[in-house]
Amino acid sequence: MSDRPLTLVLVSTPVGQLGSGRGGGVELTLASLVQGLVQRGLHLHLVAPDGSCSPVQSAQVTLHTVPGVDQPSWQHAERDSPMRIPQDAVLPRLWTCALELASDADALINFGYDWLPMWLTPHVESRIFHLVSMGSVSAVMDGAVADLARWDQRRLAFHTRRQASDFDLVEPPEVVGNGFDLSRYELKLGTDGPLGWAGRVAPEKGLEDAAAVAARLGETLRVWGLVEDNAYARRIESAVPAGTIEWCGFKPTSELQRELGGCRALLNTPKWNEAYGNVVVEALACGVPVIAYDRGGPGEIIQNGETGWLVPPDDRDALEQATLRASSIDRQACRGWVERCASQEGLAARVEAWIRRGLTPVDGTIS
């Protein structure tokens, strides 16, 4: 295939409008990738729920929005739950729009973790690729990923090898990592700030462990992120001394990085297999060491003893001891790792290379 500029249709997550925070890390990934692909000269159609904002104002990006009811996230479903599409759902409308645009595009990239677009992939002429945003949380989705891998695994990419290992693949996985606009993150070298925690406030994120460690150390824990489960947040707050948690809310990147950069360490306490760990890299980009459970994507990202400390999953004692060693981490080394491994430009180059390889016919595949 020639190296002429590609035209791509990017289909956003159906769990919430872009800019709302409900899409979690997918929103940040999509924004970074759109900016990076525009810099590489690609032309993009961005399909998203009504109320969404384009992350880039450029003649190379056209935003298409559609109405509909948000799709329930698989993250909050029982493992054996069936596929559910609400009445007046936005999910099929996103794909009706995307497939109409596909006749003038080289390929479509799906950012939603959903069964419908994976099922569609072998059944339509348009070439659909999937940047898988989560690990294994659903039997239905595990089957969809495995079926697509058997049909043509080139259509799948993952953020980390640990994430990909959750699935039944037929070949080594395509791993593209993630990337960030590093001009938006300022390196801060101070080491005497509070402890921080960032992410959606929901049980799978394990905020209670970080709060417990902060309470043991007699420190304040600043918490950034959308509170998805208010009852869960109240339970955590009631379990630690008053004033331990400072709720900072969901913040745009400019505010988050400014406040997060003042922390002496970020605690990362996932109870599930995180696909990547965007907040880990955002902290590192500000020079903030990360103390994390050695689980999922963060366990692959953090360089133990260089950019933070990894401890056994769910071990609060080990988390506390590692937090006391945060000052031994060189904050410039944290930023250096991000510049080498998680830039916006690097992500865009890796994704474009993946798409171009997948568009090249190979003997023995339907492609």
Side-chain angles (χ1 to χ4, degrees):
M1 187 157 194
S2 70
D3 286 338
R4 64 170 177 79
L6 296 175
T7 297
L8 302 177
V9 178
L10 309 183
V11 187
S12 182
T13 172
V15 303
Q17 64 193 43
L18 282 176
S20 68
R22 295 197 298 276
V26 174
E27 293 190 38
L28 184 58
T29 299
L30 183 55
S32 293
L33 187 55
V34 167
Q35 293 178 62
L37 292 176
V38 165
Q39 290 171 358
R40 295 181 65 81
L42 278 69
H43 300 277
L44 308 174
H45 293 276
L46 177 57
V47 184
D50 267 356
S52 294
C53 301
S54 175
V56 176
Q57 301 304 313
S58 167
Q60 294 170 234
V61 181
T62 304
L63 176 65
H64 308 262
T65 62
V66 297
V69 175
D70 290 350
Q71 183 70 12
S73 172
W74 283 104
Q75 193 168 25
H76 302 126
E78 296 295 327
R79 183 165 187 81
D80 294 326
S81 295
M83 173 64 189
R84 294 182 299 153
I85 300 180
Q87 186 175 4
D88 298 324
V90 74
L91 175 61
R93 292 174 180 172
L94 289 173
W95 282 92
T96 297
C97 178
L99 291 173
E100 289 173 352
L101 294 167
S103 60
D104 295 322
D106 295 288
L108 297 84
I109 304 180
N110 168 44
F111 289 82
Y113 191 86
D114 289 289
W115 174 86
L116 178 61
M118 290 197 175
W119 179 84
L120 282 172
T121 303
H123 297 287
V124 297
E125 184 177 353
S126 305
R127 288 162 289 192
I128 304 174
F129 294 76
H130 304 266
L131 181 52
V132 183
S133 60
M134 290 198 287
S136 173
V137 295
S138 155
V140 168
M141 287 302 297
D142 286 0
V145 172
D147 288 345
L148 196 51
R150 286 190 290 271
W151 180 73
D152 187 352
Q153 193 176 308
R154 295 178 303 159
R155 301 298 185 89
L156 297 167
F158 302 88
H159 290 294
T160 60
R161 296 188 185 282
R162 289 194 181 192
Q163 174 205 10
S165 69
D166 271 3
F167 300 103
D168 184 14
L169 305 178
V170 297
E171 298 173 352
E174 179 81 43
V175 176
V176 297
N178 215 335
F180 301 80
D181 179 358
L182 299 183
S183 68
R184 303 179 70 188
Y185 298 86
E186 180 184 355
L187 172 63
K188 296 187 177 180
L189 300 178
T191 60
D192 56 355
L195 297 175
W197 186 96
R200 289 179 297 100
V201 180
E204 67 273 8
K205 297 292 189 175
L207 173 58
E208 64 271 21
D209 288 5
V213 166
R216 289 184 190 181
L217 296 174
E219 296 195 42
T220 297
L221 180 70
R222 304 199 74 192
V223 174
W224 292 273
L226 185 71
V227 178
E228 286 191 343
D229 189 328
N230 285 296
Y232 169 71
R234 289 194 298 269
R235 287 197 304 273
I236 295 172
E237 190 167 34
S238 66
V240 296
T244 298
I245 296 177
E246 181 183 340
W247 299 103
C248 300
F250 176 77
K251 299 286 181 70
T253 298
S254 59
E255 293 181 46
L256 174 64
Q257 69 88 27
R258 183 172 61 251
E259 297 175 8
L260 182 58
C263 290
R264 70 179 185 88
L266 178 82
L267 304 186
N268 185 252
T269 51
K271 297 293 184 177
W272 70 312
N273 187 15
E274 291 273 11
Y276 187 72
N278 285 349
V279 296
V280 169
V281 180
E282 289 188 282
L284 296 176
C286 299
V288 179
V290 181
I291 317 300
Y293 288 151
D294 191 0
R295 172 184 276 147
E300 191 170 313
I301 293 169
I302 296 164
Q303 309 303 295
N304 196 40
E306 178 185 342
T307 60
W309 297 103
L310 295 170
V311 302
D314 309 319
D315 188 336
R316 291 183 180 180
D317 291 337
L319 190 68
E320 179 183 355
Q321 292 304 309
T323 301
L324 292 171
R325 294 191 289 161
S327 61
S328 67
I329 300 298
D330 180 354
R331 292 173 74 100
Q332 289 180 322
C334 296
R335 173 73 181 205
W337 182 89
V338 177
E339 291 175 349
R340 294 193 305 273
C341 303
S343 70
Q344 174 181 285
E345 295 79 9
L347 173 64
R350 292 188 295 270
V351 167
E352 182 179 354
W354 160 50
I355 298 299
R356 288 188 182 276
R357 285 193 296 271
L359 292 174
T360 304
V362 176
D363 291 343
T365 77
I366 198 167
S367 296

